[in-house]
Amino acid sequence: MLTNFLKTYQQLQNDKFLLPKRQFVTYGLYALIAVALLYLFVDPAPASSTKLSMKAPWIQEEELPPPSPPLPHQGDEKLRSAPAPSQVSAAAPPCDYSDGEWVPDPRPPPYNGTACDAIKDGRSCMANGRTDTDYIYWRWQPRLCDLPAFSPDAFLRWLHNKHMAFVGDSLARNQAESLMCLLSSWSPAELVHRDAESRFRRWVFHEYNATVSIFWSPFLVKGVEKSEHAGVRYNELFLDAFDERWMSQLGAIDAAVLSAGQWFQIPSIYHEGGRVVGCHGCAAEFNYTETSFFGVFRDVVGRTLAEVTRRREDSRGEQLVALTTFSPSHFEGEWNKGAPCTKKRPYKKGEKELGYTETEMRKIVVEAAANAGAAASSTLRFAAVDVTTLANQRPDGHPGPYMRKNPFAGGGRVQNDCLHWCMPGPVDTFNQLLLQTILR
Ligand SMILES: *[C@@H]1O[C@H](CO)[C@@H](O)[C@H](O)[C@H]1NC(C)=O
Ligand SMILES: *[C@@H]1O[C@H](CO)[C@@H](O)[C@H](O)[C@H]1NC(C)=O
Ligand SMILES: *[C@@H]1O[C@H](CO)[C@@H](O)[C@H](O)[C@H]1NC(C)=O
């Protein structure tokens, strides 16, 4: 698995037996890791070419959404959508939705993935030729309670006159696109802003004056993706600087959904106070101190939430910061050698425990949300959307080769995406949990 693979090399790096002549080998492998990860995370355009895509990072200022009058929506709920869940009584203890199992559900999916234009081509598995559909017919059943079906009407009523921003990496985008499909099958949305690479997008549901946007920010803090050093590409993170592409917009955001983590595993150089303070996965020749990416991730999430609290304007109404926990991948073998994800069913409860990386990355987010919540005011709420276990049980829900159209047409080696999620698919459940988080 990806994470095991990276862990192995992290250990190698720390290994006292690592001889100088092996450094070169390690160096080369890091290059391979960086290149292959970029391939997946950068979301190359779905061209028929299998060449690696290394586009420059795209930075674009966001405009504010145009105001529009609210119009309540009337109509029938469709498909798997359900009416707004009845208000949970104040006395009822909150249910732990993170503990449960996937159970068969014969009902049709909540939207037609082929018809949803919010989906970047890479996740439209059916449109790309995936013909097996069993992975669609499951629902998440928490152990001690029921998870209400996703109600687009309840979501949009909450989002009336509000702006929800998804901030993070391509998994943040995956979740945002799922939400757009869930909501736009109920009420039409207009795409009002989009940058050339679809890394920053904004839609308005005019019937509800509700805005959903996506901000690309894979490190949450300021960073430079894959900058080149001696022929190897490293991320550069500036631990004491924030990513103003989204931070500067906080005043216009009512709910932020933060989702990041995968990029922290890639070789990275860390800056603070204008100098390099550490590195993860650097070639030994750089003489940088090897630093655990777990510690860096904890630091980054903590600093980001503290800064959100610090910048909060007193005059502002309620604000919510939801943090989606780490979403595991399911490469069967060395993912950079085209490892597939061939499972066609979810894991049963207890069949697949969380790995070390997944456990740690999840815990960092859950604890950071709790710490920030304890320090924040009553109108600024922090919550973890704990998807790690339910996502870990879904090896069947990734695009695999269907990350691009007709993957087997050209012959040649096929790249598999066993990290992101097909839509419709398991990622829709992330938004089921998000809805319960905002209503709670
Ligand atoms: C989904 O949408 C596509 C494209 O609009 C359409 O061809 C297809 O029939 C739809 N599928 C279902 C099940 O409605
Ligand atoms: C529409 O929603 C935005 C927030 O996204 C808000 O600033 C604006 O005042 C709303 N417009 C109206 C007419 O209420
Ligand atoms: C790393 O340290 C060695 C030994 O101190 C030195 O010779 C070399 O120039 C240093 N490399 C860099 C890139 O600073």
Side-chain angles (χ1 to χ4, degrees):
M1 236 177 67
L2 161 73
T3 48
N4 290 337
F5 182 70
L6 287 168
K7 216 187 303 161
T8 306
Y9 281 93
Q10 203 188 6
Q11 281 158 3
L12 258 185
Q13 184 75 10
N14 296 332
D15 193 334
K16 297 217 165 46
F17 298 106
L18 191 68
L19 299 168
K21 64 183 157 197
R22 284 181 61 190
Q23 284 169 357
F24 190 69
V25 178
T26 312
Y27 188 83
L29 279 160
Y30 278 125
L32 205 61
I33 293 169
V35 165
L37 267 167
L38 289 169
Y39 189 86
L40 273 181
F41 293 136
V42 164
D43 285 323
S48 53
S49 155
T50 52
K51 274 186 66 182
L52 300 189
S53 166
M54 301 249 193
K55 291 172 184 164
W58 187 266
I59 296 173
Q60 179 154 336
E61 292 296 319
E62 289 280 291
E63 304 130 27
L64 288 174
S68 50
L71 270 173
H73 184 86
Q74 298 297 329
D76 292 318
E77 299 271 350
K78 297 164 205 126
L79 300 169
R80 214 181 282 182
S81 311
S86 52
Q87 289 305 103
V88 179
S89 92
C95 175
D96 180 5
Y97 292 126
S98 69
D99 177 18
E101 64 184 325
W102 290 95
V103 297
D105 182 354
R107 289 175 297 169
Y111 56 86
N112 179 345
T114 309
C116 176
D117 27 298
I119 302 181
K120 273 201 71 175
D121 301 318
R123 321 280 178 265
S124 194
C125 300
M126 278 184 267
N128 286 349
R130 180 168 178 176
T131 51
D132 64 302
T133 54
D134 286 356
Y135 70 95
I136 293 169
Y137 298 99
W138 298 91
R139 73 179 167 80
W140 179 249
Q141 176 62 59
R143 193 163 59 88
L144 296 173
C145 53
D146 289 327
L147 175 61
F150 186 86
S151 164
D153 188 43
F155 202 107
L156 283 166
R157 281 174 191 277
W158 183 84
L159 204 56
H160 173 67
N161 286 344
K162 290 191 180 81
H163 174 189
M164 173 176 277
F166 285 81
V167 177
D169 57 22
S170 54
L171 280 152
R173 175 163 63 210
N174 205 174
Q175 188 182 350
E177 290 179 351
S178 152
L179 182 66
M180 285 307 301
C181 295
L182 288 163
L183 297 179
S184 61
S185 63
W186 170 253
S187 174
E190 186 193 350
L191 180 67
V192 295
H193 173 78
R194 181 172 97 93
D195 73 293
E197 293 191 334
S198 286
R199 289 177 157 195
F200 298 85
R201 276 178 284 171
R202 184 187 302 262
W203 294 266
V204 174
F205 294 87
H206 292 292
E207 289 179 316
Y208 293 82
N209 184 36
T211 300
V212 174
S213 62
I214 303 179
F215 290 84
W216 175 255
S217 182
F219 314 116
L220 301 177
V221 293
K222 188 176 164 198
V224 178
E225 294 150 36
K226 53 198 159 49
S227 91
E228 192 170 321
H229 294 264
V232 183
R233 287 170 183 263
Y234 294 92
N235 298 321
E236 300 213 52
L237 274 69
F238 298 86
L239 304 179
D240 51 357
F242 297 99
D243 185 352
E244 297 299 337
R245 291 177 297 181
W246 69 276
M247 269 279 179
S248 65
Q249 304 291 309
L250 274 177
I253 294 171
D254 301 279
V257 181
L258 311 186
S259 174
Q262 298 284 352
W263 279 74
F264 287 80
Q265 302 173 77
I266 307 173
S268 299
I269 297 169
Y270 307 121
H271 300 259
E272 189 172 351
R275 62 187 191 90
V276 173
V277 293
C279 186
H280 161 56
C282 275
E285 297 90 296
F286 283 13
N287 294 344
Y288 295 151
T289 312
E290 174 67 22
T291 308
S292 151
F293 69 82
F294 294 118
V296 170
F297 184 56
R298 183 179 296 111
D299 190 28
V300 160
V301 175
R303 286 184 193 214
T304 299
L305 300 190
E307 183 68 4
V308 169
T309 306
R310 198 187 67 76
R311 292 195 190 192
R312 159 124 186 131
E313 294 154 21
D314 288 338
S315 56
R316 222 180 169 301
E318 295 212 342
Q319 262 177 316
L320 169 70
V321 178
L323 295 100
T324 305
T325 62
F326 195 76
S327 177
S329 59
H330 295 91
F331 294 93
E332 293 158 17
E334 293 186 24
W335 59 274
N336 57 334
K337 293 183 180 157
C341 29
T342 56
K343 299 258 187 318
K344 293 284 179 271
R345 289 177 64 90
Y347 288 119
K348 296 187 179 71
K349 197 171 166 58
E351 191 180 344
K352 171 85 176 168
E353 298 303 330
L354 285 182
Y356 179 75
T357 299
E358 290 78 7
T359 302
E360 290 302 303
M361 295 298 272
R362 172 194 166 274
K363 201 167 78 184
I364 287 165
V365 166
V366 169
E367 289 176 357
N371 292 343
S377 71
S378 60
T379 53
L380 174 59
R381 193 153 68 92
F382 292 90
V385 178
D386 193 353
V387 303
T388 305
T389 296
L390 70 88
N392 191 52
Q393 309 289 74
R394 292 306 306 270
D396 55 330
H398 300 289
Y402 300 102
M403 60 188 288
R404 53 176 64 83
K405 248 189 173 50
N406 306 318
F408 302 105
R413 205 182 84 174
V414 171
Q415 175 75 44
N416 287 291
D417 179 356
C418 304
L419 171 66
H420 301 99
W421 302 102
C422 290
M423 289 182 280
V427 67
D428 300 324
T429 303
F430 294 19
N431 288 316
Q432 247 179 301
L433 261 62
L434 177 61
L435 174 59
Q436 295 313 308
T437 303
I438 65 181
L439 294 179
R440 196 172 271 177

